[in-house]
Amino acid sequence: SGPWTEQVNFLSGEKHECAWHTNITRLSFVFTNFEPTGFLCLENVTHPAGAIILNDGEVEVGQMQLSFQTPNNLTGTIPPEFGHIQGMTHVDLQYQKGLYGPIPSTIGNLVGLQTFSVLFAGPQFGGVIPSSLFTIPTLEWITFQYNEGGFSFPPSI
């Protein structure tokens, strides 16, 4: 692990949060040849061609997503503050071998979360899945697969 492969403007003071992403070319991607990676803001309007990815906050944001589906050397823990991002609807972390520690219990504060997915994570990322994740009324699916670290259900589940 080390510096992120692609910084995606993350925590950049000169860019709006909705600009913290980039497009990664991946010919094997099922839907298109590019894949947005990073922190994505989607417009609050449905278009015939699909969701529009925003680059600033001048348009009403309909939903936010955190998507890293290609290796990017994310390292460290997921901070508790992550659970306070208003409007987060999807979290997709794949191939991030440098993540470690548990998922913070504040994840349950993401009251609009629809999907939470962790795939192919490294050996130090895992632990008991916070019971607060299972209390989110909008949650449609949770995926923990092919991870080197161990995830387990809380005793209350």
Side-chain angles (χ1 to χ4, degrees):
S1 53
W4 290 10
T5 303
E6 174 62 55
Q7 293 295 316
V8 297
N9 300 312
F10 190 69
L11 297 178
S12 171
E14 65 266 4
K15 300 258 184 176
H16 187 274
E17 292 87 355
C18 291
W20 294 352
H21 65 270
T22 190
N23 288 325
I24 302 293
T25 301
R26 185 166 81 160
L27 296 177
S28 63
F29 190 53
V30 177
F31 302 108
T32 63
N33 287 339
F34 77 92
E35 175 177 336
T37 296
F39 189 75
L40 311 173
C41 298
L42 303 178
E43 194 172 357
N44 199 22
V45 177
T46 304
H47 292 276
I52 302 296
I53 298 174
L54 305 173
N55 285 320
D56 58 40
E58 294 182 18
V59 177
E60 182 180 351
V61 175
Q63 56 179 282
M64 292 184 230
Q65 302 177 7
L66 180 67
S67 180
F68 284 97
Q69 296 182 15
T70 56
N72 200 45
N73 286 334
L74 296 183
T75 56
T77 61
I78 297 176
E81 293 82 4
F82 182 76
H84 300 288
I85 301 173
Q86 298 295 314
M88 182 69 70
T89 58
H90 303 279
V91 175
D92 191 1
L93 298 169
Q94 296 183 26
Y95 302 102
Q96 304 310 317
K97 302 287 186 180
L99 290 177
Y100 57 84
I103 297 166
S105 62
T106 56
I107 197 80
N109 296 334
L110 301 177
V111 296
L113 191 66
Q114 297 170 12
T115 64
F116 189 86
S117 179
V118 177
L119 300 159
F120 304 102
Q124 302 301 316
F125 188 51
V128 177
I129 302 166
S131 58
S132 61
L133 183 63
F134 300 96
T135 64
I136 300 172
T138 54
L139 194 63
E140 295 175 10
W141 86 70
I142 302 170
T143 305
F144 290 93
Q145 290 184 307
Y146 314 114
N147 297 299
E148 293 177 43
F151 287 96
S152 60
F153 287 103
S156 60
I157 299 295

